[in-house]
Amino acid sequence: MAQFTPDDFMTVAAARALRDGVTLFVGIGLPSTAANLARRTHAPNMVLIYESGCIGSKPTTLPLSIGDGELAVTSDSVVSVPEIFNYWLQPGRIEVGFLGAAQIDRFANINTTVIGSDYDKPKVRLPGAGGAPEIAALCGEVIVIVRQNERTFRERVDFVTSVGYGDGPGSREKLGLPGKGPVKVITDLGVLEPDPDTCELTMTQLHQGVDAEQAKAATGWDLKVADDLATTDPPSDEELAALRDLLDTQKAAA
């Protein structure tokens, strides 16, 4: 079997979580890499939607931004940004949203705005929200891909850019958010899912070679671990070959 890194494991695990044939609103970066890997392997009929207005994109190289021309020239259709949000996203026509995060907390709220408690003078000002708040609120369900460490996995995020489960049960309903919210958070250590009663993220799966203590040490709260903790199968040679080809194509195009 070929050698792989924790990032490879995370990307492959995230790709596996995507079903063939779904409409998927994709964020740039890790989500886009995993989504395009899924499309090249087990989900060729998945419809990738980017917030620049590209529907059914089939990029031959990984896009550098939502404005990358590769997304437009390989898409089935290009519409305006207002149409993507007002006609496709807001009425619930997009099944899955796929997001990254700079910070995520125990209730799956996402921060991509600022690091630090002072919004006007933060330690770090991040790229910002883009379409993520609407994706998190309005897609049928949300999947998050993010590296797991204490800096990223916080008891409470410094700023709530995109609502997961707010303060816990009932928060999404009070805010009038129609989407189900995050159903999986996939990391370089394993997979977390919201507890059906408390909405708190719980470790339900560890990647092969990772133990529960590692996951707890990489989390900024008292991480709960499922009693029936599963183990992720390692990436196959075929999955790794497809991922390497995808990444090599990106390097060649840069």
Side-chain angles (χ1 to χ4, degrees):
M1 179 175 287
Q3 295 296 308
F4 52 85
T5 67
D7 270 12
D8 294 337
F9 214 141
M10 172 176 61
T11 304
V12 169
R16 290 172 180 168
L18 303 174
R19 305 182 301 275
D20 193 22
V22 300
T23 51
L24 182 74
F25 209 130
V26 193
I28 292 296
L30 291 172
S32 187
T33 303
N36 280 284
L37 175 61
R39 195 181 61 77
R40 289 185 176 207
T41 52
H42 67 278
N45 300 306
M46 187 167 55
V47 180
L48 303 187
I49 297 174
Y50 289 84
E51 64 182 272
S52 52
C54 299
I55 300 172
S57 290
K58 304 170 189 66
T60 58
T61 62
L62 291 174
L64 299 175
S65 72
I66 60 167
D68 195 318
E70 180 70 10
L71 295 177
V73 299
T74 62
S75 67
D76 296 327
S77 178
V78 180
V79 301
S80 68
V81 173
E83 181 174 328
I84 278 290
F85 285 91
N86 295 339
Y87 179 79
W88 293 98
L89 182 59
Q90 290 179 8
R93 291 188 167 95
I94 301 178
E95 295 166 273
V96 182
F98 198 18
L99 298 173
Q103 289 182 334
I104 189 166
D105 66 24
R106 67 196 305 157
F107 292 119
N109 301 300
I110 291 173
N111 175 21
T112 55
T113 302
V114 293
I115 302 297
S117 57
D118 187 339
Y119 177 84
D120 293 319
K121 296 180 180 179
K123 294 178 181 177
V124 179
R125 191 170 295 282
L126 300 166
E134 289 85 356
I135 294 169
L138 301 166
C139 283
E141 61 185 39
V142 174
I143 296 173
V144 182
I145 178 172
V146 61
R147 297 179 184 93
Q148 190 167 349
N149 55 67
E150 284 188 283
R151 184 175 64 180
T152 301
F153 275 60
R154 308 293 294 172
E155 176 83 24
R156 295 296 292 178
V157 291
D158 293 340
F159 186 96
V160 178
T161 307
S162 307
V163 176
Y165 295 100
D167 295 320
S171 286
R172 290 186 67 87
E173 291 76 9
K174 288 177 185 177
L175 293 169
L177 307 182
K180 187 185 295 185
V183 295
K184 288 182 186 293
V185 177
I186 299 167
T187 81
D188 50 345
L189 301 181
V191 179
L192 302 95
E193 298 178 63
D195 181 275
D197 297 320
T198 68
C199 297
E200 183 175 334
L201 289 178
T202 301
M203 207 88 201
T204 58
Q205 195 167 316
L206 290 172
H207 300 329
Q208 191 175 83
V210 177
D211 61 42
E213 293 309 311
Q214 282 179 265
K216 290 180 178 180
T219 305
W221 68 84
D222 184 13
L223 178 65
K224 290 182 171 57
V225 177
D227 293 333
D228 55 346
L229 190 63
T231 301
T232 317
D233 289 333
S236 68
D237 289 344
E238 292 76 17
E239 289 169 323
L240 286 172
L243 177 58
R244 296 283 182 269
D245 181 65
L246 192 60
L247 296 175
D248 288 345
T249 304
Q250 181 187 39
K251 290 177 185 176

